[in-house]
Amino acid sequence: MLTVDHTISPSTIHGLGVFSSEKILTGQLVWTFSPVVDREVPIEHLLTMPDHVLRMFARHAWYVEERSTFVIGTDGDYFMNHSDEPNLTDDGEYMYAARDIEVGEELTCDYSAVTVVEFDPNKGRAHAKDIREFYTTITQQNAPRRTSKEIGMLAAVSCSAGPRMQSRA
């Protein structure tokens, strides 16, 4: 849940973006998980959904490996865009202003800090990757699980009803 007043408007980065409606000071809390506003969905439930729903989650939610769930915001967070030089930082449970942010400035985060299925950190842009394929890949991998800090905003409260989850699109 975004803790600052904001609007959704066309973005020069991609499609729509979330813009601050108030001055935000360096270090100010800008996002925290709220079970009322943010939803955590187990991957098993998503796999029963139609493809257009899977595409929405692939683009706008982030995957929390420790819980095999996706977290999706239902407020302006849904429209937050990636930047290689974001004005927000995240410590695993919260997002803070990395610097002073002016009224009307787009709020951005670093998608490479979280697991957004359609985001390819090597290319720095979204690519078409299906959640069904993603699920198959992660269930077949023997790689060690990442911690919530490594995943980003997801910790125990990531974008879910508990800790915070990360990755945006």
Side-chain angles (χ1 to χ4, degrees):
M1 171 185 81
L2 288 165
T3 61
V4 297
D5 192 14
H6 60 280
T7 59
I8 307 304
S9 297
S11 168
T12 59
I13 297 172
H14 174 78
L16 297 174
V18 57
F19 294 81
S20 178
S21 294
E22 64 184 69
K23 170 106 173 159
I24 302 172
L25 301 177
T26 302
Q28 183 176 337
L29 178 66
V30 177
W31 185 95
T32 186
F33 177 81
S34 167
V36 173
V37 177
D38 304 305
R39 296 291 181 234
E40 183 174 34
V41 181
I43 195 164
E44 294 79 17
H45 293 180
L46 278 180
L47 294 173
T48 67
M49 297 285 102
D51 286 350
H52 71 277
V53 173
L54 293 178
R55 285 191 302 272
M56 176 186 70
F57 271 79
R59 173 160 293 187
H60 295 286
W62 58 98
Y63 180 68
V64 181
E65 187 173 10
E66 293 88 353
R67 293 194 301 273
S68 295
T69 60
F70 281 86
V71 175
I72 193 163
T74 61
D75 62 352
D77 176 55
Y78 183 91
F79 296 102
M80 192 172 299
N81 284 313
H82 166 79
S83 174
D84 290 333
E85 296 180 16
N87 53 20
L88 301 179
T89 61
D90 104 54
D91 72 356
E93 291 190 37
Y94 307 97
M95 291 178 77
Y96 299 94
R99 59 173 175 73
D100 286 353
I101 300 170
E102 299 300 322
V103 172
E105 189 173 345
E106 185 168 4
L107 302 178
T108 58
C109 63
D110 181 356
Y111 288 0
S112 69
V114 295
T115 305
V116 173
V117 175
E118 277 198 358
F119 182 75
D120 183 341
N122 297 315
K123 295 179 181 177
R125 61 181 177 79
H127 63 93
K129 189 164 189 178
D130 181 85
I131 288 181
R132 294 181 208 282
E133 177 185 330
F134 177 74
Y135 180 70
T136 300
T137 301
I138 63 170
T139 57
Q140 292 176 352
Q141 290 177 344
N142 293 322
R145 291 169 118 17
R146 295 185 296 175
T147 66
S148 56
K149 291 261 183 198
E150 292 172 326
I151 292 181
M153 303 181 106
L154 175 354
V157 144
S158 289
C159 282
S160 68
R164 155 109 201 208
M165 305 186 173
Q166 27 177 257
S167 268
R168 331 289 151 141

